[in-house]
Amino acid sequence: MQINLQQHSQNSGAEILIVGLSRHPENSRGWDEFAKRFDGKLEGWVKDDLSFDLKSLITYPSMSGDVPRVLFIGLNDRKKLTEEDLRSCFGLAGKELAKKKIKHAAVYLESFENDKVTSEDIAFLAAEAITMGGYSFDDYKTTSNETQVKLEALTFLSNDGSEDIESAAIIGSVFGQSVNEARTLVNMPANILTATAMGEYARELGETYGFETDILGKAELEELGMGAILAVNQGSIEEPRLIVLKYKATEGFEDPLALVGKGITFDTGGYSIKPKDGIVGMKGDMGGAAAVLGAMRIIGELQPKQNVIAVIASTDNMISGNAFKPDDVITSMSGKTIEILNTDAEGRLVLADSVSYAKQLGATRIVDVATLTGGVIVALGKDKTGALTNDEAFFETFLEASMESGEFVWRLPLTENDKKRIRKSNVADLNNSPGRDGHMIFGGGFVGEFAGDTPWIHLDIAGTSDADGPHDLGPKGGTGAMVRTLAMLIEKMADED
């Protein structure tokens, strides 16, 4: 999407102008000049017709000037506006632009400002959220003859003229587009997005941004002794893939952060089969992989000074005469043996080998992301990502990133008693399913056994990766959860270094 910054007096060529409408709008910088567009009628409309209610939307014609229509967004008391309020407002604006089939929109920046939110903040939030709000999945229907119209240009009107505003908007646009890419991956059906197809997508991403790319097949996984990933793949006719992308910010590639994603392209549950209602939607069980790939797209665009390794284990979890079974004992890449008590607890198995491989590649800090457990939804609902960690300082940095991105994360405890239950087995070093109580903790804690002393954060996005219905920032379906937070974390780590 093309980003422009112009003075109010310049002709933007936009089809619609987005304006924040707060109580006492006349206090907005440049309001008198803006009001001239309405031939003296704006004051009456503001008094009698337009709504100040937060997130209310209404479109009015412009009586003069280069922009034919104005989209007013209610802000209520502008002094109390938060970044999250603005992100929601702009997300709804993005939906409205998509509905109206707008190709070029403009934003009156000063109408959204307050003492805490700068023009640069607003430009970033607007570009990010309008891009996310306007997202739709290009489905496979053959009956529609309707032409797809997408937003192609976004112009920011401000008399400040700062290049920082334009830069912030460009970065916001990159964030929004990368989230939308991750959403599309989650929304794709499993017969199309196979492990092989995900590997090809990652290879193309690597070629685009110059990442060092390695896509390992079944034979390579067997050579590496990745018994956990191979066990999950046993029942499938589709070969597994271990996807590795390296972003080298420095020549020495020191202190790389590993982003590890669960890439289960479809999860039947295996012989611990899911019920009819629970199996629908399991094409999205690769939401963690999508989050990592989306974050890598942002990294490729922005080139932060932080080395990154992405490791994604991709396979489906199917049922056949060759599938792994409850009571099996498998050997992971690390050498640790695992008693299988539940074949539907497969995500933690592929993450185990992925984390071990990330450490072998030199990762000094690890974040794993997975649609891992229904337990996180029971504990936190569908709007919160659950987290575990073994390193307080690392998690504090991550938490700051999540607050900036607006993605809510809540940490759960991982105690020594939890670890004892994960290690409780008469026949192996670990068991993969200690019980339904504390399900999210046991799932993430199992992965932590393979992280060891390496600073590590586990993110369970089973609730946040997919939306049951439309929301302020997008439609039903894949959300692209954690893409922005992972990218923000890397930016913060680069700044700290």
Side-chain angles (χ1 to χ4, degrees), residues 467-481:
D468 293 334
H471 51 98
D472 289 351
L473 292 176
K476 177 182 178 180
T479 62

Side-chain angles (χ1 to χ4, degrees), residues 26 47 106 135-136 140 151 155 186 189 243 245 286 329 339 345 371 374 378 431 456 460 495:
E26 65 277 4
K47 182 179 179 182
Y135 170 79
S136 63
Y140 307 98
L151 189 66
T155 297
V186 172
I243 298 163
L245 299 173
M286 34 59 65
V329 175
E339 181 183 10
T371 50
V378 174
N431 80 81
W456 158 79
D460 193 334
D495 289 345

Side-chain angles (χ1 to χ4, degrees), residues 19 23 31 99 209 215 275 344 385 392 438 470 483:
V19 177
R23 299 187 184 280
W31 187 263
K99 188 167 73 174
Y209 296 110
I215 312 296
D344 194 21
T385 291
E392 297 290 338
V483 169

